[in-house]
Amino acid sequence: MKVVALVSGGKDSCYAMMKCIQYGHQIVAVANLLPADDLVDELDSYMYQTVGHQIIVSYAECMGVPLFRRRIQGSTRHHKLSYQRTPGDEVEDMFILLNEVKKQIPSITAVSSGAIASDYQRLRVESVCSRLGLVSLAYLWKQDQSLLLQEMITNEIMAITVKVAAMGLDPAKHLGKEIAFLEPYLHKLKDLYGINVCGEGGEYETLTLDCPLFQNARIMLDDFQVVLHSSDSIAPVGVLHPLKFHLESKQSNSLSGNNKTNDLCRENISSIFEVQGVNLEECKAPGEPGPEVNDLIEVSSHRLHLSKTEKDTTFSICCWLQDTSGPSTGLQGDLKLILRQIELQLEGCGLGWEHVLYIHLYISDMDQFTQANETYVRFITQDKCPFGVPSRSTIELPLIQAGLGRAYIEVLVANDQSKRVLHVQSISCWAPSCIGPYSQATLHKEMLHMAGQLGLDPPTMTLCDGGSTAELQSALQNSEAIAKCFNCSISTSAILFVVYCSTNIPLDERPKIHDNLDTFAKQLKLSHLDKGTKPEVLDPIFLYILVPDLPKRALVEIKPILYVPETVETPEETSCQLSSIVEPSSFGFQPADWPDSCIQKCVIPGKICAVVLSITSVVAMKISSDSMNADWSNNNHQNSLTESQMKRISRFCIFLLNKTIIENDFSWKDTMSLRLYFPPNLHVPLETLSNLFADGFKELDQMNGGSKVGGKPIFNLVPVLGAGISAACTNDIITCELFAGKS
């Protein structure tokens, strides 16, 4: 991509440019924001570093690229962390500046910045980029600052301190010193006082005088003045005010008048552009949502299907269309109908899209993902979700084969606004960016719902080479990077791993997937122990889903759900074996009717109950009242189950789920989501399957003395090519995934 780099003159923005080049991008312009008054060194701003701005004028000559500059006219008016367009705010000066760069150089598609740890700055750069239809590149984001500082020095960034404001840093001693000279002392201060060695906490600022990007010349500072802003005895604050500098040529022909001293009365240089003007109109990004969607096509009630769990505080709504012989509206038409219907359901509860925590987007054809996303963003936007857009996973499912439409949506909803989202749109080395209206993760009521993670290389956003196991390794690393942002780890806090496996994975590779996942988790646990910590370790459960395709033609996508306690405590985990105490028999089943291996659970007493129930052909044959065809014992599903056999299986699922949640002091009223995965080759009509489970829950209500499990269906029937507790064997007849939580 062709990149315009935001530069403050500091080491970070320069090294960010070097990383852009490393990953194959081209720096075609630099952009800088400076005070309105040349004599002013520093503004009262959380957004911009301006100390040493008098020297930035030389960057155009040093690098051989045009420099666009704008004098800051705004001030800090929008104080919230997540930025929204605010007239008169200093962020609007950046918008005007980059908008002009884009007009002058239309080929530019990305913006580079040196953000390392400041969400405040990153989110504002991302907001401006989103409005301009540009990609944000932040290759230093979330990198280890000690390693980062060493990398900068090793890669020959020669930067001096131009501001100090931290305990242990003295303006008289440390201003004007090179970072290579100060590095050991900065690490000493980190050990003593916990400072950020890269200065991310405002401890110091730098000015780059030379680096490999400066191919034409280096900057030589001839004279400067130390200006003391605060003489505080503990942490004095001082800045370096440049007085004279000159350029020393790196070419055979000298620059800037044969290295003559520049007394800051700079000449007009054709490659330097002063950007004037005010922000009179909003620049609309490509693909930004248009007018509200009101053109809902009428759909017959018998074709539209809804399910909703009964929990008051956190619940799921699912919607799909029954396929008909009538004319198709296509994927976009189906998706529009479904999203609008869910929107109406939310409105009926007095809620909106801002209350949605997570969205499962199932489509019939991954080749139409772009079209599906175009419809999706007409409903779910950042404007509608001021507290953060929901996290999301997108999967191709055999919807049409199962007699459904071309789209299927499930949303997890909370009736409060206490969610906390992680939504990083910048491309970095940290984890895959979210280029779109979804978040990497959403934390709500101690549960962290992570977006589906692919095996992407974060800085390039391309799938890693090496097949399914390499993709899984990368996806797990990306998941761990996200988990760290919430002070947890997938190795110690995971409740459930859902692993979506593409049919493109060779059969001989599938057994390796679980082994690799298990090995990765164990290695992470050991690394925590090596650091002297005793992690609160949960024993997660696993569910493998076989699907036709995944985004970017990935082979593997993982979706972890984690427990993140609000207070430090040790989660008491229940045994994974069922208790020998059996509730009064339901539907006539006895303990001998099932093997222990058919159920997994992870229970945090009084908080979370997660269950995966796997009905294999062996279990089905054991519990079915009728004799089943012998082919089923060989996992051959080509023969249809009889309705009576399927009825028996449905009752067994309900019985065992009911038994598990009751034994762990939960109830059906605590259910947040219940998914029933089934393969279309069961040859059991969807409507029949739905009715069997619905009738089973009604019978359970009657057995429980009329205690309502749910008037409407509380379960979602999800057609998949296969499911199971092992990637090597995804031949379950039915797989149940239940999540319950206490308010």
Side-chain angles (χ1 to χ4, degrees):
M1 290 186 286
K2 291 187 177 181
V3 180
V4 53
L6 290 169
V7 295
S8 64
K11 63 186 186 333
D12 303 338
S13 56
C14 284
Y15 193 52
M17 287 192 283
M18 293 175 64
K19 298 296 285 186
C20 285
I21 293 171
Q22 176 185 332
Y23 290 113
H25 306 301
Q26 180 185 4
I27 306 296
V28 297
V30 290
N32 170 248
L33 289 135
L34 70 158
D37 186 346
D38 280 335
L39 296 178
V40 173
D41 291 299
E42 185 178 35
L43 297 176
D44 182 16
S45 170
Y46 289 107
M47 189 65 200
Y48 305 120
Q49 173 190 322
T50 58
V51 181
H53 65 83
Q54 299 89 345
I55 290 179
I56 306 301
V57 66
S58 299
Y59 275 36
E61 258 184 289
C62 292
M63 294 181 62
V65 297
L67 168 65
F68 292 81
R69 307 190 83 185
R70 175 175 171 82
R71 297 186 181 275
I72 301 168
Q73 299 175 17
S75 59
T76 304
R77 297 194 177 186
H78 187 94
H79 297 276
K80 293 183 179 178
L81 182 62
S82 183
Y83 181 76
Q84 291 182 330
R85 182 189 176 200
T86 305
D89 191 277
E90 60 186 354
V91 175
E92 297 306 310
D93 288 297
M94 183 197 300
F95 176 87
I96 297 167
L97 175 64
L98 293 178
N99 190 32
E100 183 61 28
V101 176
K102 188 178 177 183
K103 287 179 181 177
Q104 296 293 330
I105 311 176
S107 60
I108 283 176
T109 56
V111 176
S112 169
S113 67
I116 297 176
S118 171
D119 282 302
Y120 184 92
Q121 293 173 343
R122 174 187 59 80
L123 288 167
R124 278 152 175 74
V125 173
E126 289 177 353
S127 174
V128 170
C129 287
S130 177
R131 289 160 61 186
L132 291 168
L134 298 171
V135 176
S136 173
L137 303 177
Y139 285 120
L140 310 190
W141 179 250
K142 288 291 182 183
Q143 298 301 291
D144 181 276
Q145 292 188 38
S146 295
L147 295 176
L148 202 53
L149 183 61
Q150 182 57 52
E151 284 180 22
M152 293 178 190
I153 295 168
T154 302
N155 284 278
E156 301 179 338
I157 289 184
M158 202 284 280
I160 62 171
T161 53
V162 291
K163 178 183 176 181
V164 294
M167 188 179 297
L169 290 176
D170 186 340
K173 293 180 181 179
H174 301 121
L175 280 175
K177 296 296 189 290
E178 293 186 25
I179 56 172
F181 172 79
L182 287 176
E183 183 195 16
Y185 186 61
L186 291 171
H187 279 98
K188 181 180 179 180
L189 294 181
K190 176 190 175 186
D191 295 336
L192 288 173
Y193 309 122
I195 75 160
N196 296 279
V197 295
C198 278
E200 276 298 285
E203 294 88 346
Y204 70 94
E205 293 176 1
T206 61
L207 178 67
T208 301
L209 301 180
D210 193 18
C211 69
L213 296 168
F214 292 6
Q215 297 182 356
N216 297 327
R218 63 180 59 88
I219 302 168
M220 307 298 292
L221 182 60
D222 301 312
D223 193 14
F224 62 86
Q225 174 187 4
V226 172
V227 179
L228 197 63
H229 282 190
S230 169
S231 57
D232 184 270
S233 59
I234 297 176
V237 179
V239 301
L240 182 153
H241 177 78
L243 296 174
K244 292 183 180 180
F245 70 94
H246 73 274
L247 300 185
E248 183 178 275
S249 176
K250 291 184 178 181
Q251 309 294 334
S252 56
N253 296 322
S254 62
L255 294 175
S256 191
N258 295 320
N259 294 345
K260 290 181 180 178
T261 298
N262 187 329
D263 61 1
L264 301 184
C265 295
R266 64 177 177 78
E267 301 174 4
N268 290 325
I269 302 172
S270 60
S271 58
I272 299 175
F273 300 91
E274 290 283 352
V275 177
Q276 308 293 331
V278 294
N279 183 17
L280 296 177
E281 58 182 78
E282 177 70 57
C283 182
K284 186 178 176 181
E288 198 171 294
E292 290 292 321
V293 180
N294 293 317
D295 54 340
L296 180 64
I297 303 171
E298 290 296 326
V299 59
S300 57
S301 59
H302 73 274
R303 191 181 171 216
L304 187 68
H305 289 258
L306 282 165
S307 67
K308 179 180 176 297
T309 52
E310 294 292 311
K311 188 174 172 64
D312 292 332
T313 54
T314 309
F315 54 91
S316 63
I317 301 175
C318 187
C319 185
W320 69 94
L321 295 173
Q322 189 78 23
D323 205 8
T324 65
S325 57
S328 172
T329 60
L331 187 146
Q332 285 185 298
D334 285 2
L335 188 56
K336 184 190 296 183
L337 289 167
I338 290 169
L339 287 167
R340 179 56 180 155
Q341 186 60 40
I342 290 177
E343 194 170 61
L344 292 172
Q345 293 292 316
L346 291 170
E347 290 173 1
C349 299
L351 307 173
W353 291 111
E354 69 270 22
H355 294 90
V356 175
L357 307 175
Y358 201 95
I359 296 180
H360 287 86
L361 172 60
Y362 303 131
I363 58 177
S364 62
D365 185 358
M366 196 57 69
D367 287 337
Q368 298 185 52
F369 173 74
T370 300
Q371 296 93 310
N373 217 39
E374 289 174 357
T375 302
Y376 182 93
V377 300
R378 288 169 64 86
F379 288 85
I380 298 99
T381 66
Q382 293 187 52
D383 288 341
K384 292 181 180 179
C385 304
F387 304 100
V389 288
S391 300
R392 185 181 82 178
S393 61
T394 305
I395 307 296
E396 179 180 321
L397 293 182
L399 300 176
I400 296 176
Q401 298 93 308
L404 300 173
R406 288 160 176 77
Y408 186 119
I409 293 283
E410 178 191 341
V411 297
L412 182 66
V413 187
N415 70 350
D416 60 38
Q417 297 175 345
S418 63
K419 70 177 181 181
R420 180 161 69 91
V421 306
L422 178 67
H423 185 210
V424 180
Q425 294 177 282
S426 299
I427 293 177
S428 68
C429 300
W430 160 73
S433 64
C434 288
I435 311 277
Y438 65 96
S439 298
Q440 277 98 345
T442 300
L443 178 63
H444 180 261
K445 301 294 185 185
E446 300 187 315
M447 289 184 63
L448 183 64
H449 305 271
M450 202 175 292
Q453 296 298 310
L454 303 179
L456 294 171
D457 176 45
T460 62
M461 291 296 288
T462 58
L463 287 170
C464 62
D465 298 325
S468 59
T469 54
E471 285 189 25
L472 177 67
Q473 181 84 4
S474 183
L476 289 168
Q477 290 171 349
N478 294 335
S479 300
E480 180 66 7
I482 293 169
K484 283 182 179 178
C485 295
F486 294 88
N487 299 316
C488 63
S489 168
I490 60 171
S491 67
T492 59
S493 301
I495 300 168
L496 168 67
F497 286 100
V498 177
V499 184
Y500 298 104
C501 301
S502 167
T503 52
N504 294 320
I505 301 175
L507 290 175
D508 60 345
E509 284 188 21
R510 294 181 188 179
K512 303 175 186 176
I513 292 176
H514 181 79
D515 292 340
N516 275 267
L517 197 161
D518 188 55
T519 300
F520 183 89
K522 287 178 179 177
Q523 289 174 344
L524 271 180
K525 288 178 185 178
L526 289 175
S527 71
H528 283 283
L529 292 172
D530 289 342
K531 294 175 182 177
T533 59
K534 293 184 178 180
E536 302 167 353
V537 180
L538 294 172
D539 191 6
I541 55 182
F542 300 89
L543 174 59
Y544 295 87
I545 306 291
L546 188 65
V547 298
D549 205 357
L550 294 167
K552 294 182 178 288
R553 296 291 184 264
L555 298 174
V556 176
E557 178 177 332
I558 63 172
K559 187 188 68 172
I561 299 178
L562 281 65
Y563 169 63
V564 185
E566 293 177 356
T567 56
V568 178
E569 57 183 81
T570 302
E572 300 175 11
E573 183 189 5
T574 61
S575 169
C576 288
Q577 301 296 322
L578 284 173
S579 169
S580 59
I581 301 174
V582 180
E583 293 291 316
S585 176
S586 296
F587 305 109
F589 293 108
Q590 299 297 329
D593 290 333
W594 69 87
D596 292 339
S597 61
C598 74
I599 192 164
Q600 302 177 81
K601 62 178 179 176
C602 184
V603 179
I604 301 168
K607 293 189 176 183
I608 298 169
C609 179
V611 184
V612 169
L613 173 59
S614 180
I615 306 299
T616 63
S617 57
V618 173
V619 174
M621 288 183 69
K622 191 170 184 178
I623 63 175
S624 178
S625 57
D626 298 335
S627 61
M628 296 178 68
N629 190 298
D631 283 341
W632 283 95
S633 63
N634 298 319
N635 294 321
N636 182 352
H637 294 188
Q638 298 304 311
N639 295 319
S640 301
L641 285 168
T642 66
E643 187 170 330
S644 62
Q645 290 168 340
M646 197 64 238
K647 176 180 179 180
R648 185 73 172 163
I649 292 170
S650 67
R651 300 312 188 265
F652 178 74
C653 290
I654 295 170
F655 155 68
L656 201 50
L657 290 173
N658 182 62
K659 181 178 186 299
T660 303
I661 62 175
I662 288 176
E663 287 181 348
N664 289 283
D665 198 27
F666 287 81
S667 73
W668 286 102
K669 293 290 186 181
D670 298 319
T671 303
M672 293 186 288
S673 64
L674 173 57
R675 300 182 192 94
L676 309 178
Y677 300 97
F678 70 98
N681 62 10
L682 280 179
H683 303 296
V684 177
L686 181 74
E687 188 172 357
T688 299
L689 199 58
S690 180
N691 289 336
L692 288 172
F693 274 94
D695 291 343
F697 278 112
K698 289 178 183 177
E699 291 178 25
L700 182 64
D701 275 341
Q702 294 171 357
M703 293 178 189
N704 291 339
S707 176
K708 184 181 178 184
V709 172
K712 296 180 180 178
I714 65 168
F715 55 85
N716 308 332
L717 284 168
V718 184
V720 296
L721 293 181
I725 60 175
S726 165
C729 186
T730 54
N731 297 307
D732 286 4
I733 294 174
I734 289 285
T735 307
C736 307
E737 177 195 346
L738 180 144
F739 248 93
K742 297 287 187 182
S743 300

